[in-house]
Amino acid sequence: MSVVPALSVSELRAGYGRGDDIVRGITLDQAPETILAVIGPNGSGKSSFVKTLAGLLDIRQGRVSVTGIDVTAEMPAKRVAAGMAYVPQEQNVFPSLTIGENLKLATEFLRGRAGVGPEQRERVLALFPELATRLKTRAGDLSGGQRQMLAFASALLANPEVLLLDEPSAGLSPKIVAQTMEAIVRVRAAGVTVLLVEQNVAAALEIADEAVVLVAGQVSLRDTAAAVRGADLGDLFFAKVA
Amino acid sequence: MIAYLVTIAILVSIAALVGLALNLQWGQAGLVNFGVVGFVAIGAYATALLAPQIGWFPAMLVAGALSAILSAGLALLSIRLEENYLAIVTIGFGEVVRLVILNEGWLTRGALGIADIPRPFASLGQAIGGDTVFIVFALALVAVVFALLECMARSPFGRVLRAIRDDATVTAALGKNVFALRVRAFAVGGAVMGIAGALHAFYLTYIDPSQFTPIVTAYAFMAVIAGGRGSNFGLLIGACSIMALLEGTRFLKDFVTVIDGVQLSALRLGLIGAGIVLLLILRPQGLAPEPKRRAADLLSNDERAA
Amino acid sequence: MAAQLFFNGLVTGLLLALPALALTLVFGVLKFANFAVGAMLTLGSFAAWVANVQLGMPMTAAAAIAAVTVAGAGLLADQFAFERLRRRGSITLLVASMGVSLMIENVCRFFFGNASRGFDVALSRPIRWEGIRINQEQITIAITVVVCLVAVDVLLRFTPLGRAMRAVADNASLAAVRGVERRTIARLTWVLVGALLGLAGVLAGLDRSIDPLIGWNYQIAIFAAAILGGLGSPIGAVLGALTIGVAEEMSALVIPTNYRQVVSFAVILALLLFRANGLLGAKAARK
């Protein structure tokens, strides 16, 4: 790859407290403005991997960089400032704050991130027009799909290079899952690189450019999304790590 | 000096009983109780009022039973609550008991207190001399309660309690009636607190409401924390070291002349507070911790089938 | 008679509102019930007494000193006790706050003894209005509390700090991802809570005599107010405080005044039994 990768991970190892490594040596590069689907069986370390990238799990070994900037040792907030935004699974908005307050909070404590201002707010609200009309609604009163849109919008307000999504389809109805996936495509079209961790493999591969399969905290396969779509999931998920 | 050691031994016995009770409720069953003093006071007043009429032994039994019944009643009402709320309800209970004792003068003589509470084996005591008989009585009482609680901790009941404490959901899924078991644990703890109150009344032979402040609760918590939550043996060590420390500070008065009695008592109570915080931070596992096991492992196979 | 009691109850309720708010804010942001609310209030009373009586300062300056002193004590307790125990669960923190409570109360007892004291303020005649007797102190209490409540409301609703506090209360790890440092917010919460408790101590000292148990006298009522409002809900705490204040005073019509505190306990118990979430807010049942 001649261009600088948007996201570069090498030999990453991480785990909880004094427990064993959950992420066991992951290496991958992701080209800018692509969607990379991260799939794998339950307990394969997908969610821990994305939490490690976001800075919520201590890195024991390896490096993480965003557009060439090393963020391995940074706190979560500094990673956002370096261009990496994260949308956690399900509990990803502040329920007792209104939509407007959620959006304000998304940027007012970020320091050192360029392109975070009224123009970015306009651009993000244009992607999710429904939010702009309901700024006074409490986020806790939103439906699952609306909540997901607010979570995306909050993350995008930080003008990220890379957006990390942890199971955006969790807890949503099939119709809303389809809308959410459409929104992710719009986000990529707006120039953002998306790392999409998904349990809903079909939906993720539908929109992804490439996919990696994680098994037991390691990459067992990396290929184009189209190629992985044709493969047998059982073989992929339960194959021995090479 | 001998008289002094006797005093300490008896105070340790009372503290150990209260501590053992809290250790059952909080240490083993995971049910926090900030109203310890209320149950001790009920036991002490029941004993003080009944012992002259029906004799010390029946009075002590009634004290234990009454505390157990009130304990079970409070548990029935509030044991389902999340622990922060349970803590608050029990604090409130302790205060209510104090208010009732203070205000129902027809029964408790209010702030005047009750004097001339008969001691067990009083005639024998006069024959042999002083506190010797009483100290044997106090230590024997602690030994009996300790043995009973230790048997209970090793019994299926005790194991299920610890399983509930560590993971109530799993234990309920294994078919245990979590609510009923918690109420029983709380009631047994209440009974022991009532008996501790009886021993308190026997020893002082005079009780009044000022003896039953939230400090009694703080002592009990410190003993449990010092000993290591859940361990009865650790609790005994905890109770001994705390009383030794507390009573040791009384000697300060002989060396430091600038502080008066109120200041000395403030110093001791402040030390208890500092001790609780320091022990929690520095020695979370206590002096003699309970061995660590998983919730499911506490239930043997036949119990799971039952 | 009833009107007078109702009025007195409202003022008592306002006095309770500040510590109840303090309790609920700590519960929201730091996730534990701070047993030391009463003791911190006591510290505020004594700090103001030293400034007012021993140093001869006016009451406003004394109140500022009380606020700063208690805020400092809150920061110290947070730094040396609560932060170190944060990962060990809310009951460990509650037990630790009992220890902190004993320490603060007895620092006051060590330096000032058990004697009752009062501020050096001029006595003034009560006002009569529609048959209700209104003391000067009651007016001071009502105005101070209302101003504080409005200020806290504005802070929580319209400032970045307020949004950050509510965000940390909702979801601390999400807040961290948004650049909100939990530690900083925790410290600022203690400063705010300390200031509220310091002022509450001053107002309590106007209302009754100052001794090491002044705060403990309010303890059950404070907890009742915060629970009634649903622990963690600021508006709920204020409404809860007014309800408890009125209920305690009005109870004089039916039960002996000695049992006022039992009213708070009965309210807590009844509420938790019949409506486990308080008027507004958090869940109280356990698994």
Side-chain angles (χ1 to χ4, degrees):
Chain A
M1 245 182 285
S2 56
V3 284
V4 178
L7 176 68
S8 176
V9 179
S10 69
E11 286 300 318
L12 191 69
R13 285 182 169 271
Y16 293 90
R18 287 180 201 151
D20 296 337
D21 287 356
I22 310 279
V23 176
R24 296 165 53 218
I26 294 180
T27 300
L28 58 82
D29 282 353
Q30 186 180 1
E33 298 181 39
T34 59
I35 298 175
L36 174 66
V38 178
I39 57 177
N42 274 327
S44 61
K46 302 188 298 288
S47 209
S48 303
F49 172 54
V50 73
K51 280 200 183 102
T52 310
L53 295 182
L56 296 176
L57 214 62
D58 287 338
I59 293 179
R60 292 171 177 171
Q61 198 188 308
R63 314 213 72 76
V64 176
S65 52
V66 180
T67 61
I69 306 164
D70 189 331
V71 295
T72 311
E74 302 290 6
M75 301 281 284
K78 285 275 177 58
R79 294 180 189 220
V80 183
M84 185 157 69
Y86 165 60
V87 179
Q89 188 180 337
E90 297 204 67
Q91 283 166 14
N92 48 21
V93 299
F94 300 108
S96 71
L97 273 60
T98 64
I99 292 181
E101 289 173 332
N102 266 282
L103 295 175
K104 267 189 198 154
L105 193 83
T107 53
E108 65 191 351
F109 286 87
L110 279 187
R111 260 161 285 169
R113 180 75 193 145
V116 177
E119 303 86 46
Q120 178 68 4
R121 190 181 155 91
E122 292 298 313
R123 282 171 54 201
V124 170
L125 286 179
L127 281 176
F128 306 103
E130 200 185 341
L131 295 178
T133 60
R134 307 183 56 189
L135 291 175
K136 299 251 182 231
T137 309
R138 261 170 41 100
D141 298 335
L142 295 177
S143 70
Q146 294 165 330
R147 170 188 44 82
Q148 204 61 271
M149 296 306 115
L150 175 58
F152 284 9
S154 302
L156 289 173
L157 281 173
N159 188 23
E161 303 294 336
V162 178
L163 182 63
L164 309 172
L165 301 177
D166 189 1
E167 298 218 23
S169 76
L172 300 182
S173 69
K175 188 174 149 232
I176 306 297
V177 170
Q179 287 177 11
T180 305
M181 295 299 151
E182 276 169 40
I184 296 171
V185 173
R186 272 182 280 155
V187 168
R188 176 186 56 185
V192 179
T193 309
V194 180
L195 182 108
L196 170 63
V197 169
E198 255 306 341
Q199 196 77 275
N200 187 336
V201 175
L205 293 179
E206 187 78 24
I207 60 163
D209 300 295
E210 284 191 282
V212 295
V213 178
L214 289 194
V215 176
Q218 294 179 312
V219 175
S220 75
L221 176 79
R222 165 137 195 193
D223 210 331
T224 63
V228 178
R229 259 196 299 269
D232 182 300
L233 276 185
D235 288 352
L236 288 179
F237 284 8
F238 301 107
K240 282 253 162 30
V241 179
Chain B
M1 193 60 202
I2 297 291
Y4 194 73
L5 287 176
V6 167
T7 308
I8 289 189
I10 293 167
L11 290 177
V12 166
S13 304
I14 298 169
L17 286 178
V18 182
L20 283 169
L22 183 65
N23 195 39
L24 168 65
Q25 292 179 336
W26 184 49
Q28 289 167 22
L31 303 166
V32 73
N33 179 359
F34 277 89
V36 171
V37 61
F39 298 104
V40 176
I42 286 166
Y45 270 87
T47 306
L49 291 169
L50 292 174
Q53 265 87 45
I54 62 174
W56 69 268
F57 189 67
M60 192 170 82
L61 289 185
V62 172
L66 187 64
S67 269
I69 290 166
L70 285 167
S71 204
L74 188 69
L76 280 172
L77 292 175
S78 60
I79 214 82
R80 285 183 202 276
L81 297 173
E82 195 268 328
E83 46 190 9
N84 276 297
Y85 292 84
L86 180 61
I88 292 161
V89 168
T90 50
I91 294 169
F93 176 81
E95 275 298 286
V96 168
V97 170
R98 195 180 62 82
L99 285 174
V100 170
I101 290 173
L102 205 51
N103 291 306
E104 299 305 315
W106 58 272
L107 181 66
T108 63
R109 296 175 44 85
L112 292 174
I114 302 174
D116 300 327
I117 303 161
R119 274 192 181 180
F121 309 112
S123 49
L124 193 64
Q126 272 164 357
I128 299 177
D131 287 329
T132 322
V133 174
F134 192 74
I135 196 171
V136 171
F137 169 73
L139 293 175
L141 191 60
V142 173
V144 169
V145 171
F146 178 84
L148 289 175
L149 288 178
E150 195 56 20
C151 283
M152 209 177 78
R154 290 162 197 268
S155 73
F157 176 62
R159 284 204 296 277
V160 178
L161 280 185
R162 290 195 297 275
I164 292 173
R165 175 195 66 192
D166 294 343
D167 195 330
T169 317
V170 167
T171 314
L174 293 171
K176 302 293 171 191
N177 185 342
V178 170
F179 179 73
L181 288 161
R182 279 178 169 158
V183 170
R184 268 163 63 194
F186 214 73
V188 174
V192 175
M193 287 173 193
I195 289 172
L199 185 60
H200 173 108
F202 289 144
Y203 173 59
L204 293 179
T205 70
Y206 164 78
I207 56 171
D208 72 41
S210 72
Q211 297 164 4
F212 303 100
T213 63
I215 298 302
V216 176
T217 306
Y219 284 166
F221 270 88
M222 193 166 165
V224 173
I225 294 165
R229 271 182 71 179
S231 158
N232 284 331
F233 182 68
L235 184 278
L236 292 184
I237 299 178
C240 289
S241 37
I242 287 165
M243 279 300 151
L245 179 78
L246 270 183
E247 294 306 311
T249 55
R250 284 195 196 281
F251 291 112
L252 271 179
K253 204 177 175 184
D254 301 336
F255 299 108
V256 190
T257 46
V258 284
I259 61 176
D260 62 25
V262 173
Q263 284 180 319
L264 186 68
S265 88
L267 201 62
R268 297 172 64 211
L269 298 178
L271 269 179
I272 291 283
I276 287 175
V277 174
L278 283 176
L279 279 169
L280 281 175
I281 293 172
L282 301 177
R283 244 195 119 63
Q285 72 280 37
L287 300 171
E290 176 197 50
K292 206 75 195 129
R293 275 159 301 192
R294 282 227 324 267
D297 298 342
L298 287 167
L299 301 168
S300 62
N301 287 328
D302 52 311
E303 282 161 45
R304 270 184 241 185
Chain C
M1 179 67 177
Q4 179 71 55
L5 287 176
F6 185 79
F7 174 79
N8 290 349
L10 281 181
V11 177
T12 307
L14 283 171
L15 183 51
L16 285 174
L18 296 185
L21 189 56
L23 182 66
T24 225
L25 285 174
V26 169
F27 191 83
V29 175
L30 297 127
K31 305 288 176 231
F32 75 98
N34 176 21
F35 194 87
V37 266
M40 288 180 167
L41 188 149
T42 305
L43 181 66
S45 302
F46 276 106
W49 180 81
V50 169
N52 172 245
V53 176
Q54 298 197 316
L55 306 175
M57 293 181 178
M59 275 317 289
T60 43
I65 285 188
V68 171
T69 307
V70 183
L75 284 173
L76 280 176
D78 184 53
Q79 182 72 27
F80 293 107
F82 302 137
E83 176 62 20
R84 285 160 194 254
L85 297 168
R86 187 171 63 85
R87 291 172 192 280
R88 304 252 300 278
S90 62
I91 282 299
T92 302
L93 286 164
L94 179 51
V95 174
S97 69
M98 181 171 78
V100 169
S101 173
L102 275 174
M103 283 161 77
I104 294 177
E105 184 187 309
N106 286 292
V107 164
C108 294
R109 185 171 284 125
F110 186 87
F111 287 107
F112 307 106
N114 284 326
S116 294
R117 299 161 196 277
F119 292 124
D120 185 10
V121 285
L123 287 174
S124 54
R125 273 169 179 283
I127 304 166
R128 287 204 167 270
W129 177 78
E130 302 275 335
I132 298 175
R133 222 176 105 103
I134 304 175
N135 295 324
Q136 197 61 46
E137 294 81 43
Q138 290 181 308
I139 298 174
T140 313
I141 289 171
I143 292 174
T144 314
V145 172
V146 169
V147 169
C148 284
L149 292 180
V150 170
V152 171
D153 185 56
V154 168
L155 176 88
L156 283 179
R157 285 206 294 162
F158 300 115
T159 67
L161 172 62
R163 272 194 289 281
M165 280 175 68
R166 287 188 292 143
V168 171
D170 267 5
N171 185 340
S173 72
L174 183 61
V177 174
R178 298 274 182 269
V180 180
E181 290 267 0
R182 193 198 56 81
R183 192 78 194 94
T184 313
I185 299 303
R187 289 204 178 101
L188 290 170
T189 303
W190 278 113
V191 170
L192 174 62
V193 160
L196 290 174
L197 288 173
L199 288 178
V202 176
L203 299 177
L206 288 173
D207 193 49
R208 54 163 85 200
S209 62
I210 301 168
D211 65 47
L213 288 176
I214 183 171
W216 178 256
N217 293 318
Y218 294 101
Q219 186 95 347
I220 307 293
I222 295 169
F223 274 92
I227 288 186
L228 189 55
L231 270 177
S233 158
I235 300 170
V238 174
L239 294 178
L242 290 174
T243 313
I244 291 290
V246 170
E248 279 204 350
E249 296 286 345
M250 299 287 278
S251 72
L253 293 172
V254 281
I255 58 170
T257 49
N258 296 335
Y259 282 115
R260 270 175 44 155
Q261 284 181 304
V262 177
V263 174
S264 295
F265 177 68
V267 169
I268 297 181
L269 205 54
L271 187 87
L272 290 176
L273 287 178
F274 298 115
R275 201 183 139 66
N277 297 340
L279 289 179
L280 321 154
K283 282 220 186 308
R286 76 154 99 194
K287 282 171 282 177

